[in-house]
Amino acid sequence: MSFEQWSTRWESVPLSEAAERYDICKASDNHVEDLEDLFGDEPECFFVHQGDLTIDGPLSIGNDPGLAQDTVYVIDGDLTVNGPMRFLNADVSTPLYITGSVTAQHLMCLMDSNLFIGGSLTVEGLLMTELSDTGMLVVHGAASAGAWLETWDRGDVTFVDDLKARRLRLSEGDHLEYSDADDAADILLPEFLDGDTEDASEKLWEAALEGRPLLRP
């Protein structure tokens, strides 16, 4: 699903106005110095949703080259997802900036996604980050999750306040192998770690869509 498809209330705001109203440098905790860092060229506009947004059910967003215009998407308010949420960009750096808080059952930020949250982040179950070198997750407010699984030692993950969650590592070939993180096999249900661990994110997302548990009780 591209960005435009999940809301009918996007307002096209010219760059000169939008860049002043929504400081992406600040939103990214200074990881982005200029919009050209994301796109190569400055976008013509931002797409803005004014006010809080509630999604009943799962939300899967992101885009591939040519699927949607490369620009900045802003929710000027809170985002509540009554279900799991996945943000997956492939070979594009289109960011989503929520000025308020984000609440979701599970949250997966994958590959080239750039998710900036001005308020708090509350994830009931699993927070998963599997980001490329250009991917980012930045949370400025309080952050909590049942567990946080980070599978790649790439991208930038920043919690301005400490994240309250059990931190997980994959037992083999993972950059957190020698950290104080818990073995994911002790927290995740075994079906998600059978075979190639590179498939874990897809297995976890399919289970989340079906309403099956991801974490051991």
Side-chain angles (χ1 to χ4, degrees), residues 1-15:
M1 177 187 295
S2 65
F3 285 87
E4 289 96 332
Q5 293 173 311
W6 62 288
S7 174
T8 59
R9 295 175 54 193
W10 294 114
E11 174 192 1
S12 177
V13 179
L15 177 64

Side-chain angles (χ1 to χ4, degrees), residues 3 38-39 62-71 87-95 110-114 132 134-135:
F3 285 87
L38 295 175
F39 304 119
N63 62 352
D64 296 313
L67 181 62
Q69 180 179 357
D70 292 344
T71 186
F87 185 7
L88 171 59
N89 271 349
D91 297 324
V92 288
S93 299
T94 303
L110 310 176
M111 295 182 66
D112 304 316
S113 300
N114 289 292
S132 68
T134 61

Side-chain angles (χ1 to χ4, degrees), residues 1-2 25 79 98 101 105-106 135-136 157 169 200 203 214 217:
M1 177 187 295
S2 65
C25 177
L79 172 62
I98 296 104
S101 298
Q105 180 188 20
H106 305 291
M136 286 174 270
V157 179
R169 61 174 172 81
K203 292 178 182 177
L214 308 185

